[in-house]
Amino acid sequence: MMHPQGILYIRINFLSRRFAVVFGIFLLGFIDAKVIAQEAKAIPKKKYDVAAFVYPAYANDDPRLRPFWPNGNGEWETVTNMQERFPGHYWNRKPLWGTINEADPAVMSMEIDQATKHGINVFIFDWYWYDGRPFMETTLDNGFLKADNSNKMKFYLMWANHDVVNTWDTRLNKYNENNVIWTGKVSRDEFEKICKRNIEKYFKLPQYFKIAGKPVFMIYDIPQLIAGLGGIEQTVSALKWFKDETKKAVFPGLDLQITMWSQNLNHSGFDGNKGASPGNEFVKKLGFTSATHYQFVHFTEVNDDYLNILERVKKEWSRIDKDFDITYYPHISVGWDNSPRTGKSAVVMNNTPENFAKALRNAKDFIDKHPKQAPLITINSWNEWTETSYLQPDNVYGYGYLNAVKLVFLEEK
């Protein structure tokens, strides 16, 4: 019979070993958790290029804007006198930042800080050329490029080569006269002048957005381009020349981006000549290498609930992904309501910041499922107030839309 002290020793020894095993398992678990945490920390969070279109009409120091907005503060005039023209209209939006002059570098510096803070790292400037010279360039040249923090963001150009009719001038557009003030068509000589100027003035800047070293240049109105250049074959030749000139400027090439369309309901007032959706062979023949949209209104009925619109948007992305060989970058629009210009409009409903965040997650998911392409997402827009599709804070949702971008691209896993 074993002595009680021996039994006690065995029990203590057994318990010590058991504790050692348990402690060892705990320690291994702790070490594994620590290693996993360190590895997760070592893996950088995926970065997305979130690009917002900038409509450059909110400038005080551009004399070419005064024929449309004589008060001298650009299209803020249309925004602020909405209630004078249509008393009691439900549209009564007010910018929390005030009617800022975006051609002021100090103002633009603030906007760059706010954009990057909320996850927007690229501005796509709507860029115009009428009557043989640039139009609405001051927001880019005097505002963005002279801002003391412009190195925090990239930018590229979207050539808005549509005709100018009376849509911008609210004193005249009520008469529905479809008279052309300036045409968006350009000849081959004019086209070459534009391209050479943009290569030298913008493409060579370190802030200019490039994909695989190639400057990105977006064209809005392909029918106008073809009509001005004299036909499809002439347009193919001109765009090939543009690519060759970009290579001569020591770039590996040009990422030529087409603005995609489908059916057009002409809600905007500028786009009456758009009809059929471009086909894959047509787009490839012209030499485009990528595509995105500018607005939901360009391919679906927007007089609807935002969540219904998003279902059709996802179907359109799938169609393009299946039918086209070129890269498609998903586009999200904040909303649509053109009534500040026209008095009545199709209206996107229920486009709350929460539902906008759902749209952004759809775009993010599309990018994640296409890992071989650049992680670029386009948004309409930074400041399209008169189309009611803007990220800037207002009296309705405050910073809601900007915070939605921040949530989806900077905070969520």
Side-chain angles (χ1 to χ4, degrees):
M1 186 172 182
M2 185 174 287
H3 193 278
Q5 287 182 343
I7 295 172
L8 180 64
Y9 173 79
I10 291 170
R11 286 180 177 174
I12 291 171
N13 191 40
F14 172 76
L15 290 172
S16 298
R17 289 181 179 180
R18 187 177 181 184
F19 173 78
V21 170
V22 172
F23 180 75
I25 293 171
F26 169 78
L27 188 62
L28 286 171
F30 175 77
I31 292 170
D32 285 346
K34 191 173 181 181
V35 168
I36 291 168
Q38 287 175 341
E39 287 177 351
K41 192 174 182 181
I43 300 172
K45 183 177 175 63
K46 182 172 180 178
K47 292 183 178 180
Y48 300 84
D49 289 317
V50 183
F53 291 100
V54 176
Y55 174 51
Y58 299 105
N60 294 6
D61 56 353
D62 191 335
R64 293 195 76 194
L65 303 188
R66 284 186 179 266
F68 305 101
W69 306 291
N71 289 347
N73 64 344
E75 201 162 14
W76 285 125
E77 183 174 338
T78 303
V79 175
T80 57
N81 71 10
M82 174 69 180
Q83 291 304 312
E84 294 177 14
R85 290 180 290 116
F86 302 100
H89 195 286
Y90 65 84
W91 199 101
N92 194 13
R93 305 292 184 108
K94 292 180 174 59
L96 291 191
W97 295 339
T99 55
I100 53 178
N101 174 18
E102 294 186 314
D104 181 335
V107 169
M108 185 58 73
S109 178
M110 177 276 292
E111 294 189 84
I112 290 170
D113 280 340
Q114 288 294 328
T116 54
K117 175 183 175 182
H118 289 89
I120 299 143
N121 64 331
V122 182
F123 276 160
I124 309 172
F125 282 89
D126 297 355
W127 184 84
Y128 303 82
W129 182 276
Y130 296 120
D131 200 22
R133 52 197 172 133
F135 177 66
M136 283 205 260
E137 229 179 26
T138 54
T139 297
L140 173 57
D141 288 353
N142 299 347
F144 183 85
L145 292 177
K146 291 182 181 178
D148 58 9
N149 58 351
S150 66
N151 62 332
K152 291 175 67 174
M153 286 192 82
K154 301 295 184 182
F155 80 97
Y156 69 96
L157 302 181
M158 191 280 292
W159 181 15
N161 59 327
H162 57 72
D163 287 344
V164 175
V165 292
N166 286 335
T167 305
W168 284 330
D169 193 333
T170 58
R171 299 164 300 179
L172 296 176
N173 67 15
K174 61 185 176 182
Y175 298 115
N176 297 316
E177 296 173 341
N178 194 29
N179 57 310
V180 177
I181 300 168
W182 290 320
T183 181
K185 301 180 182 71
V186 297
S187 66
R188 176 63 182 259
D189 288 343
E190 195 83 353
F191 177 82
E192 292 190 7
K193 179 180 178 181
I194 288 168
C195 295
K196 286 180 179 178
R197 183 179 184 274
N198 285 335
I199 290 169
E200 291 300 317
K201 184 175 182 180
Y202 296 122
F203 288 7
K204 293 183 177 181
L205 294 174
Q207 301 101 315
Y208 200 88
F209 183 68
K210 302 169 182 73
I211 295 176
K214 300 176 182 180
V216 181
F217 186 78
M218 184 175 175
I219 301 179
Y220 181 80
D221 192 327
I222 304 308
Q224 284 284 73
L225 184 71
I226 293 170
L229 292 172
I232 292 177
E233 296 303 326
Q234 292 89 333
T235 305
V236 170
S237 172
L239 292 175
K240 182 181 181 304
W241 172 89
F242 187 15
K243 287 183 174 183
D244 291 342
E245 287 297 305
T246 306
K247 288 181 180 178
K248 287 179 185 177
V250 202
F251 294 106
L254 175 68
D255 193 321
L256 195 58
Q257 194 171 90
I258 187 171
T259 304
M260 290 296 291
W261 298 74
S262 189
Q263 66 179 358
N264 174 68
L265 305 174
N266 198 24
H267 285 316
S268 72
F270 293 110
D271 313 314
N273 63 337
K274 310 302 181 307
S277 173
N280 181 53
E281 293 306 314
F282 172 76
V283 171
K284 284 174 63 179
K285 180 180 177 68
L286 289 173
F288 285 95
T289 50
S290 67
T292 189
H293 285 95
Y294 185 74
Q295 238 291 343
F296 287 168
V297 76
H298 289 165
F299 64 93
T300 189
E301 174 60 72
V302 294
N303 204 34
D304 198 357
D305 186 275
Y306 195 68
L307 295 180
N308 294 336
I309 293 169
L310 291 187
E311 290 305 310
R312 296 196 292 273
V313 167
K314 287 192 291 184
K315 289 179 181 178
E316 181 68 359
W317 292 353
S318 297
R319 182 189 73 83
I320 293 170
D321 202 31
K322 178 173 65 75
D323 293 348
F324 286 82
D325 295 331
I326 64 173
T327 301
Y328 175 74
Y329 297 113
H331 169 79
I332 298 297
S333 293
V334 177
W336 180 267
D337 181 350
N338 204 26
S339 59
R341 289 173 176 160
T342 61
K344 58 182 180 179
S345 175
V347 178
V348 171
M349 294 164 280
N350 198 28
N351 55 327
T352 63
E354 292 76 18
N355 286 338
F356 175 62
K358 293 177 182 178
L360 295 175
R361 291 187 190 102
N362 290 343
K364 185 179 180 182
D365 183 59
F366 183 96
I367 289 294
D368 291 344
K369 290 177 179 176
H370 295 76
K372 293 183 179 180
Q373 70 182 53
L376 174 65
I377 293 157
T378 67
I379 297 176
N380 182 291
S381 77
W382 180 249
N383 62 349
E384 281 273 20
W385 284 82
T386 49
E387 294 177 354
T388 321
S389 188
Y390 53 83
L391 293 167
Q392 291 178 344
D394 71 356
N395 60 320
V396 179
Y397 292 118
Y399 279 73
Y401 291 124
L402 283 173
N403 286 333
V405 179
K406 183 179 182 181
L407 173 68
V408 173
F409 293 104
L410 296 185
E411 296 177 349
E412 291 182 348
K413 294 181 180 179

